[in-house]
Amino acid sequence: MIKVTKLKSQDCDFVVNAELIETIEETPDTVITLTSGKKLIVEEAMDEIVRKVMDYRRALFRNMR
């Protein structure tokens, strides 16, 4: 799970299941498309989301050892 912020709503954080992310685009807003087809527009840059997903997966792998 990764924490992101809804666009234009600085205090509206929510959590996304990183395993359900299909694509991330910058158009110029960052749009996360889930495997269900649902689209989420967030404040974070694409690179930041990618970093959060990588950190999440690293943490999962560390816990499996």
Side-chain angles (χ1 to χ4, degrees):
M1 304 293 260
I2 61 168
K3 186 190 235 184
V4 294
T5 307
K6 188 182 263 189
L7 183 66
K8 298 186 184 195
S9 186
Q10 297 276 337
D11 58 345
C12 188
D13 292 340
F14 61 99
V15 179
V16 175
N17 185 339
E19 302 298 327
L20 297 180
I21 295 174
E22 186 171 342
T23 61
I24 305 168
E25 305 170 64
E26 283 184 332
T27 62
D29 297 329
T30 306
V31 179
I32 300 172
T33 304
L34 303 179
T35 55
S36 66
K38 182 173 183 171
K39 294 183 183 289
L40 308 168
I41 303 173
V42 298
E43 292 276 342
E44 290 80 1
M46 180 170 51
D47 291 339
E48 185 178 349
I49 295 171
V50 170
R51 182 189 52 77
K52 287 181 177 192
V53 170
M54 291 172 64
D55 290 346
Y56 164 77
R57 291 193 180 180
R58 279 191 198 112
L60 284 179
F61 183 72
R62 271 194 303 267
N63 290 335
M64 293 177 71
R65 288 183 177 185

